[in-house]
């Protein structure tokens, strides 16, 4: 991963510098949330930790990630 790949873009609060970085963060968060839901009974502490890391990866709730995706797309279309 290159330095600054997941830094915030200048066009918005939630967007990443690139669309690929934003989608990568979303994929990581989705995988962590899925793991947390599947393993919540067997490993409750790890599931909670995975949920927290997923929220950090999304920079907030799933809606915040979606707003950031829109900002990243708009930033790519309109330089």
């Amino acid at each position: 991963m290159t330095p600054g790949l997941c830094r915030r873009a200048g066009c918005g609060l939630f967007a990443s510098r690139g669309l690929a970085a934003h989608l990568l963060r979303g994929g990581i968060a989705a995988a962590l949330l899925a793991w947390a839901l599947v393993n919540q009974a067997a490993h409750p502490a790890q599931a909670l930790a995975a949920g927290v890391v997923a929220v950090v990866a999304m920079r907030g709730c799933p809606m915040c990630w979606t707003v950031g995706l829109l900002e990243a797309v708009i930033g790519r279309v309109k330089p």
Side-chain angles (χ1 to χ4, degrees), residues 19-56:
L19 189 57
H22 196 81
L23 292 173
L24 178 67
R25 283 189 9 243
I28 290 169
L32 285 169
L33 286 175
W35 185 90
L37 288 173
V38 169
N39 294 302
Q40 64 184 344
H43 306 287
Q46 291 91 341
L48 182 63
V52 169
V53 173
V55 169
V56 169

